[in-house]
Amino acid sequence: MKEFLGKIFKVRNFKFVVAFLLPALFVLCYNAKLDNDSWYVLAEGREITTNGVYYEDPLSMHEDLDVTVQNYGFAAIFYWIFTVFGAPGIYLSMIILNFFVCFLVYKICKLISGGNTNLSLLIMMVTDMLLALNFVVTRAQMVSFVFFLALIYVLELYVKTDKSKYLWWVPLLSILQINLHASLWPMLVLVLGVYIVDSIKKPKLHLQGYRAKPLIIVLVATILCGLLNPYGFKMLTFIFTSYGDARFHGMVNELSSFSPFENIFAAFVYISLIAVVCMYIFGNSKNVRVRYLLMFFGFLALGLNTVKGLSQFILVMFFPLALMYKDVRLEKPFVDNKFAREALAFWIGMIVLLSFAIVCPVVASQIKDYPSEALVGAVDAIDADVKNRDDEPKIYTGYTGYNDGGYVEYRGYKAYLDPRGEVFLEKNNHKENVLYEWDDFRRGKISAAELLEKYEFDYILTRKKQDSFYNLKNENYEKIFENSEEHVQVYKRVAAHE
C-alpha cells in the first residue's frame, strides 16, 4: 500500500491533477445551473418510466401529434438520477461526463502524438475549456460527446495496431447513441466515412493507407445497429427532418449561423481557429493526415452553418496539432532548480485539488430544482387556482421563454409550446405547424384575439416583449400573478370558472 500511494503521489503526477481539474473548476465556476432543456426532459423521462415509450405527444396540449422521442433513453436515465439524487445529481453527472470527455481527448492525442504526454494534456485542457464556454451543460449532448470521442479513439487504435478487435466496439456505440441521443447518431457515420477515405494509400496526398475492408463492414454494421430502436428509420433521419427547416433555424439561437462577433464564446472560437490555422501553416507539413484535416474542415463547415455544430469541431480541431507537433517537448522547466521545480508543482497541484474538493460540493449543493423564483410562483398561482387537474387545463407558453413550457409540463400541465421545437413542425407531427403559428403570432400576423378564439387557453403564462399577451386587456381573462423583476405574468380565463 505504501508503495502504491508513493507512485500516486509522485510529484510528476500532479500535472495530471492540474490538467484534469482546472477545466472542471472552470465548468463549476462558469456554469452552475441546470440547462433550460432539463425540465421537458424530466417530463419526458417521467412519462417513459411510467407508461413506456410513446408515439403521440402526451406532454403538450395538442392532440394526435406524432412524435419521435430521439432522446428517450437519456430522458429515462435523467429522470431516474433526478428522483434519486435531485438536481445536484444531474449536475454532478455532467461533471463526470466531462471528465470522460477530457480523458478521451487526452488518450486520442497521446495516440496521435506517439506518446507526447505533456502536449496531449495541454490540448485536452484547451479543448475542454473552449467546449465549456457553451456546450458543457446538463443535456444529452454530453453523452454524445463521449460516444463521438470513443469512436475516434477506437478507430485510432485500429489504425495504429491493425487489429480488428477494436472495431467490435463500434456497433455497440451505434446502439447506445441511437437509443440515448439519436439526433447526433449521423456523426458516427461521418467519422467512419472519413477514416475509410484515409484508408486509401496515396502518400503524396497524405492518405495514410490501411485495411479498409474491416471499416466498410463495421460501417454497414453501424447503420444496421442504428435501426435497433423503438422508432426505426425515423431515428436515423431525425436530424435532417428536425434541423433542416430554415424558418426553425431563424427562431433558435444555437441553430443560427456562426458569427465571430456575437458573444465571448464566438470570439474565443474565432481566435482559436485563427491560432490553429497559423500553427498548421508553420507546423511540420510531413506530419499530416487527411482524416484529421477532413474532420477539421468538415465539422468547421457544419459549425459555421449552425452554432450547435461547433461542438464537434471544437472536439477535433486540435488533433492535427498533436501530430504536427508530436516531436515538440514541453518538459523544459521554467525553474532550473529541481527541488524548487518539484515544490512548485506539488503546491500548484495541491491548491487545484483542494479548490476542486471545496468548490465542487458547494456548487453542486446549490443547484436548484427549479428554473427561477418567478416561474415557480407563476405555476404555483396556477396550482392554487386549478380545481381539478383531471380536466387538463390548457396553458399558453411561448417558444422563446425556453424554461416556460418545459417547466409547466414538468409540473404536470399541458403547454402550448415547449423547447422541443421540432415536435411542433408539421413535417414531423403530421398534423399542424404549431411553431409557425406561434411565430406568426409573435410577428403580428395572427392577433391575440384569433389565437384565443382558436384555443381558449385556460391560463396564459407570458413574458414581456415575447408576444402581445403581455399586459393583456381582455374581459374574459384576469391577471392572477405578476413578477416585475422577470416580467412574468399569468392570466386565467374567467369564463372557465364562473
Side-chain angles (χ1 to χ4, degrees):
M1 177 62 72
K2 184 177 179 180
E3 184 179 347
F4 174 72
L5 291 175
K7 290 181 179 180
I8 292 178
F9 285 99
K10 284 183 178 178
V11 171
R12 66 172 177 265
N13 289 336
F14 278 95
K15 65 185 177 186
F16 291 96
V17 173
V18 174
F20 277 88
L21 294 187
L22 265 183
L25 278 170
F26 182 76
V27 173
L28 288 165
C29 296
Y30 185 78
N31 179 24
K33 62 181 180 180
L34 296 189
D35 185 79
N36 53 33
D37 277 4
S38 300
W39 311 110
Y40 87 78
V41 174
L42 286 170
E44 284 181 331
R46 180 176 59 211
E47 179 67 26
I48 290 166
T49 56
T50 303
N51 300 315
V53 175
Y54 51 87
Y55 299 86
E56 288 188 359
D57 181 39
L59 302 182
S60 73
M61 54 174 268
H62 309 283
E63 296 181 354
D64 304 322
L65 298 187
D66 292 338
V67 66
T68 300
V69 190
Q70 55 90 22
N71 63 333
Y72 82 94
F74 175 81
I77 296 171
F78 197 80
Y79 179 68
W80 177 82
I81 293 174
F82 186 82
T83 56
V84 176
F85 301 104
I90 294 292
Y91 186 79
L92 288 175
S93 297
M94 178 194 74
I95 298 296
I96 292 170
L97 286 170
N98 191 54
F99 276 125
F100 279 108
V101 169
C102 289
F103 178 74
L104 286 167
V105 170
Y106 165 70
K107 294 295 287 184
I108 292 167
C109 289
K110 197 167 182 184
L111 272 177
I112 295 172
S113 66
N116 192 327
T117 298
N118 290 343
L119 178 62
S120 301
L121 288 173
L122 179 61
I123 290 175
M124 177 203 77
M125 290 177 64
V126 175
T127 298
D128 194 60
M129 294 180 80
L130 193 59
L131 192 73
L133 288 172
N134 204 54
F135 298 111
V136 178
V137 291
T138 56
R139 285 191 184 187
Q141 65 193 42
M142 292 300 298
V143 175
S144 292
F145 294 160
V146 173
F147 295 153
F148 178 78
L149 291 170
L151 173 64
I152 295 174
Y153 181 54
V154 164
L155 293 174
E156 285 296 320
L157 284 171
Y158 166 72
V159 171
K160 187 175 182 66
T161 65
D162 195 37
K163 293 181 180 180
S164 300
K165 67 178 183 179
Y166 293 113
L167 299 179
W168 297 351
W169 289 98
V170 179
L172 176 61
L173 290 173
S174 177
I175 293 172
L176 291 172
Q177 181 72 67
I178 202 69
N179 287 284
L180 290 176
H181 193 208
S183 66
L184 291 185
W185 177 87
M187 301 302 165
L188 303 186
V189 176
L190 288 176
V191 170
L192 277 167
V194 165
Y195 276 79
I196 290 173
V197 170
D198 203 28
S199 68
I200 303 169
K201 192 168 186 178
K202 292 282 185 179
K204 291 183 179 180
L205 298 176
H206 297 285
L207 290 163
Q208 183 172 350
Y210 37 83
R211 287 189 301 139
K213 185 177 179 180
L215 291 173
I216 295 172
I217 292 173
V218 84
L219 174 61
V220 174
T222 296
I223 295 172
L224 292 176
C225 286
L227 295 171
L228 300 177
N229 69 81
Y231 298 93
F233 190 71
K234 291 180 181 179
M235 291 283 253
L236 275 62
T237 59
F238 180 87
I239 191 171
F240 305 108
T241 59
S242 300
Y243 302 128
D245 188 286
R247 190 168 176 181
F248 185 28
H249 273 225
M251 298 168 64
V252 184
N253 290 335
E254 66 180 23
L255 296 181
S256 60
S257 299
F258 171 70
S259 172
F261 309 108
E262 187 172 344
N263 50 43
I264 293 177
F265 162 70
F268 272 111
V269 171
Y270 186 65
I271 293 169
S272 300
L273 173 60
I274 293 175
V276 169
V277 170
C278 290
M279 293 181 75
Y280 287 175
I281 293 172
F282 295 104
N284 188 343
S285 60
K286 293 181 180 180
N287 292 334
V288 172
R289 289 285 179 265
V290 168
R291 62 181 179 272
Y292 306 136
L293 295 181
L294 283 176
M295 285 193 289
F296 179 90
F297 289 107
F299 287 116
L300 173 60
L302 183 64
L304 292 176
N305 185 49
T306 65
V307 174
K308 188 181 180 73
L310 280 174
S311 55
Q312 280 74 28
F313 170 66
I314 292 171
L315 290 171
V316 304
M317 70 184 295
F318 298 104
F319 289 167
L321 297 183
L323 182 61
M324 286 183 168
Y325 293 88
K326 66 177 184 177
D327 297 322
V328 175
R329 299 297 163 184
L330 304 176
E331 287 83 1
K332 187 176 180 180
F334 293 99
V335 181
D336 291 334
N337 184 278
K338 182 180 179 181
F339 175 79
R341 186 168 66 247
E342 291 187 348
L344 182 64
F346 173 80
W347 283 112
I348 291 176
M350 288 302 297
I351 290 171
V352 172
L353 180 61
L354 291 173
S355 297
F356 179 80
I358 295 170
V359 173
C360 186
V362 169
V363 171
S365 65
Q366 294 179 351
I367 300 298
K368 299 175 181 178
D369 60 353
Y370 56 88
S372 69
E373 296 284 353
L375 202 49
V376 171
V379 182
D380 283 348
I382 295 174
D383 272 344
D385 189 68
V386 169
K387 302 296 187 294
N388 186 1
R389 278 203 177 216
D390 293 336
D391 292 339
E392 296 187 343
K394 296 180 293 184
I395 301 177
Y396 169 84
T397 51
Y399 185 68
T400 52
Y402 292 116
N403 280 313
D404 298 353
Y407 186 68
V408 164
E409 291 168 347
Y410 165 71
R411 292 283 293 267
Y413 294 104
K414 305 284 188 179
Y416 172 67
L417 285 175
D418 61 47
R420 304 170 301 159
E422 69 281 352
V423 172
F424 305 100
L425 297 175
E426 185 178 6
K427 63 182 177 181
N428 286 331
N429 64 46
H430 306 124
K431 185 181 180 183
E432 187 176 5
N433 262 323
V434 181
L435 196 60
Y436 283 14
E437 176 185 66
W438 178 82
D439 192 39
D440 287 339
F441 170 57
R442 179 182 62 161
R443 296 173 185 271
K445 295 180 180 179
I446 296 176
S447 68
E450 288 174 312
L451 202 63
L452 289 176
E453 182 180 358
K454 179 177 179 180
Y455 290 106
E456 295 186 338
F457 298 110
D458 296 297
Y459 298 92
I460 295 173
L461 194 161
T462 185
R463 291 178 180 270
K464 187 177 182 180
K465 295 183 180 180
Q466 184 189 76
D467 50 53
S468 57
F469 280 148
Y470 197 81
N471 288 330
L472 178 66
K473 304 297 182 184
N474 188 299
E475 61 182 9
N476 293 322
Y477 287 86
E478 67 177 12
K479 187 188 299 182
I480 61 172
F481 175 83
E482 181 170 17
N483 182 290
S484 57
E485 184 177 346
E486 292 189 32
H487 306 291
V488 175
Q489 296 178 342
V490 175
Y491 294 86
K492 75 170 183 178
R493 184 158 65 96
V494 179
H497 302 282
E498 290 179 348

